[in-house]
Amino acid sequence: MGQSPSAALDRENSFSDRFGFFSSSFVSSDGFPDEFVGNRDYTAEIPDDCLAHVFQFLSPGDRNRCSLVCKRWLCVDGWSRHRFSLNAQSEIVASLPSLFTRFDSVTKLTLRCSRKSISLNDDALVMISTLCRNLERLKLRGCREISDKGMLAFAQNSKYLRKFSCGSCMFGARALNAVLDYCTNLEELSVKRLRGIHDGAEAIGPGAAASSLKTICLKELVNGQSFEPLVVGAKNLKALKIIHCLGDWDRVLELIGNRNRSQKENLYLNNYDSNGSNDHLMEIHLERLQVSDAGLSAISKCTKIQSLHILKSPECSNYGLVCVAEHCKLLKKLHVDGWRANRIGDEGLAAVAKHCPNLEELVLVGVNATYLSLEAIASNCSKLERLALCGSGTIGNAEIVCIAAKCMALKKLCIKGCPISDIAIEALGSGCPSLTKIKLRKCRGVSCEAGEWLREQRGSLVINMDTCEIDGGFEASVSNGGIHEAGMDYPQVVGQVTTGDASTSSNGGLALLRSKFGLFASRNLVACTFRRWTYGDDTSNSNL
């Protein structure tokens, strides 16, 4: 594919000269053997649509090289390239007409500019809007020369825009209101570190896009409260993400909750189906916000929520989580980062276990849960597939043994910074029959030998462990093997070993573990393992 037709023809001519003894029955009408006819373009029989589909599997660099093969490939690559990313410096303005003349079917455009460079300005953005009439997605990053005026003109020319994302730009509320007024098909809006929005800025939204907007994401905004009309007025909003935005957000959440309750009452009074997909939020992400139990209580009125993230919001407590659990019974994903405030624990999690039987994913960070709540979740949430327990001083061997015995559907387990030991690892060796991946981090009570033993017990299980910093014998074996001298760090334990059945006796299993993976044996095992990783053993490579 990479050589020119003339080069291929010269090569075939040389073959013909060297193998002139072929009989006429083996020679084509062009005078060349059938085996060596190379001046034919076999891709000519491939339709343009099929060729464009093949190009979609290539990286941008490979597509650029393919476009140099012939004029047809250049043309097909041009009209089939829908996603485009540009270094949006001011020097690129002169190349924009020719660039978008060739790539005239771009629907997804990303414009990025570093802090040390001057970005393209309003005129360039307006030019892009006239050249890309079918633009559906636009992402702006660091384009500080674009103002409200430029965004207004762009929005007027981009009526098909469905997704808009901006970050570290200088325009403000007027620009966003223009997008909301003119881009009536807008479905997703993401705003991060927008410099033009400050205290006293005009309100944003809801605009003409209020009926089509489905996702709003606000990150690191000084005056995020200016988005209140938009958030409350978006009638069909499905996902709301508010991350590290200043201000009191309880009021906004209360307005959202009251709106959803009133919509539900209207549907009931008019005999409409209350299970419709256009009347409630389904995903809420709250992170590093000034929000309290009042906000969580308001969220509980959005009864169709399936995914809830409460991260690093220390004013939230068990009371708010109980309110959510009692009313949001369709909850499937729950992430709680208690930020070690110790305000969310067994009471709130027990309510989740009681009222949310459809829970599939649970992430607890800095939450001091105990056997009481984890046993209830393991018993009642039979669909739980993904579980992460991080930074908790109360989650030990008893809790993991309970999870191993009762979480039959669990597929992925992550344990980080919890006081567990080899006893918990042994329980996982025979429990959680659906488990496919386990990640262990900063669990000092777990030995490396236990990880190796677990890999033997569960041949198909992928185990990811960090280095055993407290095991001096293991570190000595690594340095004695010469691994550090070769500049190779200890890799993560990711393996797949097929062995016999797991031991059914806990005491016998640990005794076997100690006897089989003693200090001397572990050194030989590690050295052998590193040899396989270093020299490319087939069994090791199949699992890395």
Side-chain angles (χ1 to χ4, degrees):
M1 182 174 63
Q3 71 177 0
S4 63
S6 60
L9 183 59
D10 293 340
R11 190 186 67 173
E12 304 308 332
N13 287 335
S14 65
F15 274 122
S16 179
D17 295 339
R18 291 164 58 187
F19 300 100
F21 54 83
F22 284 102
S23 62
S24 59
S25 60
F26 292 99
V27 179
S28 65
S29 59
D30 296 331
F32 297 102
D34 289 339
E35 291 88 349
F36 303 110
V37 176
N39 59 347
R40 177 182 177 186
D41 182 9
Y42 290 95
T43 65
E45 300 177 1
I46 301 177
D48 289 349
D49 292 340
C50 294
L51 187 61
H53 186 70
V54 173
F55 286 168
Q56 292 179 4
F57 292 92
L58 303 179
S59 64
D62 289 337
R63 292 196 65 159
N64 293 337
R65 285 183 281 273
C66 286
S67 65
L68 301 177
V69 171
C70 61
K71 291 183 178 180
R72 176 174 176 248
W73 285 29
L74 177 69
C75 180
V76 171
D77 175 62
W79 62 257
S80 64
R81 186 95 63 125
H82 303 298
R83 187 189 300 269
F84 216 62
S85 181
L86 292 177
N87 186 1
Q89 298 181 5
S90 57
E91 293 80 5
I92 202 175
V93 175
S95 304
L96 291 179
S98 59
L99 202 60
F100 287 104
T101 298
R102 174 186 170 187
F103 301 101
D104 56 354
S105 300
V106 174
T107 59
K108 306 173 185 179
L109 179 62
T110 299
L111 302 176
R112 299 178 182 271
C113 186
S114 65
R115 297 179 180 179
K116 299 180 181 180
S117 303
I118 300 176
S119 70
L120 48 76
N121 55 17
D122 292 343
D123 295 335
L125 185 64
V126 175
M127 181 190 303
I128 291 174
S129 66
T130 58
L131 296 173
C132 301
R133 288 291 185 177
N134 297 322
L135 196 63
E136 296 180 359
R137 301 182 184 181
L138 176 64
K139 180 184 293 186
L140 301 178
R141 290 292 183 271
C143 298
R144 291 174 294 277
E145 305 302 318
I146 298 178
S147 67
D148 291 343
K149 181 180 179 181
M151 286 300 302
L152 173 61
F154 170 83
Q156 292 174 340
N157 295 332
S158 304
K159 298 182 179 180
Y160 299 104
L161 196 67
R162 293 191 300 109
K163 298 182 180 181
F164 178 70
S165 174
C166 59
S168 301
C169 296
M170 300 302 295
F171 51 80
R174 290 182 56 194
L176 293 179
N177 280 326
V179 172
L180 295 170
D181 287 335
Y182 291 99
C183 302
T184 56
N185 296 315
L186 193 67
E187 297 178 0
E188 295 186 13
L189 176 66
S190 178
V191 182
K192 180 179 180 179
R193 287 198 300 268
L194 199 59
R195 311 299 184 185
I197 298 180
H198 47 76
D199 293 338
E202 63 179 282
I204 298 174
S211 59
S212 62
L213 203 58
K214 296 180 180 179
T215 301
I216 297 177
C217 181
L218 308 176
K219 294 183 180 181
E220 301 177 21
L221 298 174
V222 176
N223 188 19
Q225 304 294 314
S226 58
F227 286 87
E228 178 182 314
L230 174 62
V231 173
V232 177
K235 303 176 182 178
N236 297 319
L237 191 63
K238 299 300 178 186
L240 175 62
K241 301 179 182 180
I242 309 175
I243 302 172
H244 201 187
C245 295
L246 300 181
D248 186 0
W249 288 92
D250 283 341
R251 168 183 163 78
V252 177
L253 296 177
E254 289 173 356
L255 292 174
I256 294 175
N258 294 334
R259 180 201 65 186
N260 281 272
R261 183 176 63 178
S262 62
Q263 287 180 346
K264 184 177 181 179
E265 291 175 352
N266 291 334
L267 289 172
Y268 178 78
L269 292 175
N270 291 284
N271 295 323
Y272 291 132
D273 183 10
S274 61
N275 293 323
S277 60
N278 296 325
D279 57 344
H280 291 287
L281 276 168
M282 299 178 68
E283 179 182 355
I284 294 182
H285 186 125
L286 308 175
E287 182 174 353
R288 299 186 69 178
L289 296 180
Q290 184 181 343
V291 60
S292 66
D293 289 338
L296 294 184
S297 179
I299 288 176
S300 66
K301 300 175 184 178
C302 306
T303 57
K304 295 297 188 296
I305 291 180
Q306 297 183 9
S307 177
L308 177 61
H309 290 63
I310 309 172
L311 309 178
K312 299 180 180 180
S313 300
E315 296 183 19
C316 297
S317 69
N318 284 318
Y319 175 80
L321 185 57
V322 169
C323 291
V324 172
E326 289 178 347
H327 297 88
C328 303
K329 299 182 180 181
L330 301 179
L331 195 65
K332 292 183 178 181
K333 295 182 181 181
L334 176 62
H335 291 212
V336 179
D337 187 343
W339 223 3
R340 300 188 183 277
N342 203 25
R343 302 196 66 187
I344 295 180
D346 284 338
E347 182 181 353
L349 295 176
V352 172
K354 180 179 179 181
H355 300 286
C356 304
N358 296 318
L359 194 67
E360 298 177 359
E361 179 175 312
L362 177 63
V363 176
L364 301 178
V365 181
V367 176
N368 288 329
T370 66
Y371 184 90
L372 178 64
S373 59
L374 292 180
E375 192 274 338
I377 289 176
S379 301
N380 298 335
C381 302
S382 59
K383 299 180 181 179
L384 188 65
E385 296 182 354
R386 297 172 296 277
L387 176 63
L389 306 171
C390 306
S392 176
T394 58
I395 298 177
N397 292 329
E399 288 73 20
I400 302 303
V401 170
C402 176
I403 291 171
K406 297 188 176 183
C407 291
M408 298 292 103
L410 193 65
K411 296 181 179 179
K412 295 182 180 181
L413 174 63
C414 175
I415 306 174
K416 180 178 180 181
C418 295
I420 65 172
S421 66
D422 292 349
I423 297 175
I425 302 303
E426 184 194 10
L428 293 173
S430 57
C432 296
S434 302
L435 196 64
T436 60
K437 184 176 182 179
I438 180 172
K439 180 182 292 186
L440 298 173
R441 286 286 186 273
K442 299 181 180 180
C443 298
R444 294 181 176 274
V446 178
S447 65
C448 295
E449 291 86 353
E452 295 292 344
W453 176 83
L454 182 59
R455 293 220 317 274
E456 281 201 349
Q457 299 299 106
R458 305 287 292 269
S460 61
L461 183 62
V462 177
I463 305 174
N464 196 321
M465 294 179 62
D466 54 6
T467 56
C468 299
E469 298 175 353
I470 61 175
D471 191 338
F474 183 82
E475 290 182 347
S477 67
V478 173
S479 58
N480 289 338
I483 301 301
H484 290 301
E485 296 177 1
M488 184 175 181
D489 295 328
Y490 169 61
Q492 295 177 344
V493 181
V494 180
Q496 182 173 325
V497 183
T498 303
T499 60
D501 297 333
S503 174
T504 57
S505 172
S506 59
N507 295 331
L510 284 177
L512 177 63
L513 186 152
R514 294 190 182 96
S515 63
K516 192 170 184 177
F517 299 105
L519 177 60
F520 180 77
S522 65
R523 291 182 179 180
N524 294 335
L525 176 64
V526 171
C528 179
T529 304
F530 276 117
R531 281 197 297 272
R532 291 199 302 268
W533 277 326
T534 304
Y535 298 106
D537 181 76
D538 292 339
T539 305
S540 177
N541 288 339
S542 64
N543 302 309
L544 290 179

